Amino acid sequence: MPDRNRAVSIVMVEDDEGHARLIEKNIRRAGVSNEIVVFATGAAALEYLFDARRGSRAPCLILLDLNLPDMTGVEILTALKLNEATRLSPVIVLTTTDDKREIEKCYERGANVYITKPLNYDNFANAIRQLGLFLSVIQVPDLD
C-alpha cells in the first residue's frame, strides 16, 4: 500500500548552475522543504527517474529546462510520458524559451505547466517564489 505521508521529491533538470541555485533558494524562501535533486543533463535525470529501485523513493515532481547540453527538454518530456513509471509524474517546464510552437509542443507531449523564466533577476526570483507557493499545495500521484 502506498505511503500517503511520503514527501514529494522535486527533480530539477537544469544545466545552468546559477539558475539551479536561484530556483532552489527561492523555492525554499516560499517555505517548500521537500528534497530537491538537481541534474545538469537529461541523461542523468532519466537514469535516476527510470531506476528500477525507485519504488521505495518518494513520488516526484519534475522541473524541466528545455535547453540542455545532451538532449532537448522535449525529448526528456516525451521519454517521461512514454514510460509507465513516470507518465503520471507532473512536469513543470521552466525555461527561457517563449516560442509559441515550443510551448504547444510541450503541452502536446504532456507538460502540466509551462513557465518562461523572466530575464530580470528580481522578476525571476519572484516568479520562482510564486512557483514555490504553488508547489506547496499541489498533489502528486503516488505511483507505488
Side-chain angles (χ1 to χ4, degrees):
M1 176 173 224
D3 180 358
R4 300 285 176 211
N5 295 318
R6 284 195 297 173
V8 172
S9 290
I10 298 170
V11 174
M12 183 188 329
V13 188
E14 171 62 71
D15 67 316
D16 184 314
E17 192 177 319
H19 281 188
R21 280 195 311 269
L22 183 63
I23 291 166
E24 182 167 0
K25 180 173 89 173
N26 283 287
I27 286 174
R28 298 287 183 224
R29 281 186 178 165
V32 175
S33 60
N34 302 55
E35 173 188 35
I36 299 176
V37 185
V38 181
F39 296 96
T41 67
L46 289 175
E47 182 179 327
Y48 173 83
L49 290 163
F50 293 164
D51 186 338
R53 297 166 297 192
R54 273 200 40 75
S56 62
R57 293 188 202 157
C60 291
L61 178 144
I62 300 148
L63 296 178
L64 178 62
D65 187 16
L66 293 183
N67 305 308
L68 298 164
D70 62 336
M71 58 197 309
T72 70
V74 173
E75 291 170 323
I76 297 166
L77 178 60
T78 301
L80 290 169
K81 294 305 180 175
L82 289 175
N83 185 288
E84 190 62 30
T86 56
R87 70 181 177 82
L88 295 179
S89 296
V91 178
I92 298 173
V93 175
L94 185 58
T95 187
T96 55
T97 306
D98 64 357
D99 181 286
K100 296 213 179 300
R101 292 173 305 217
E102 203 68 17
I103 294 168
E104 187 175 314
K105 189 184 304 180
C106 287
Y107 279 118
E108 286 172 351
R109 302 272 164 69
N112 299 89
V113 177
Y114 190 106
I115 300 171
T116 302
K117 296 176 189 171
L119 298 178
N120 171 283
Y121 176 86
D122 290 331
N123 292 344
F124 184 34
N126 185 49
I128 300 304
R129 277 193 296 277
Q130 290 177 32
L131 173 63
L133 294 173
F134 175 71
L135 295 179
S136 71
V137 297
I138 65 170
Q139 297 293 315
V140 175
D142 192 344
L143 304 178
D144 288 348

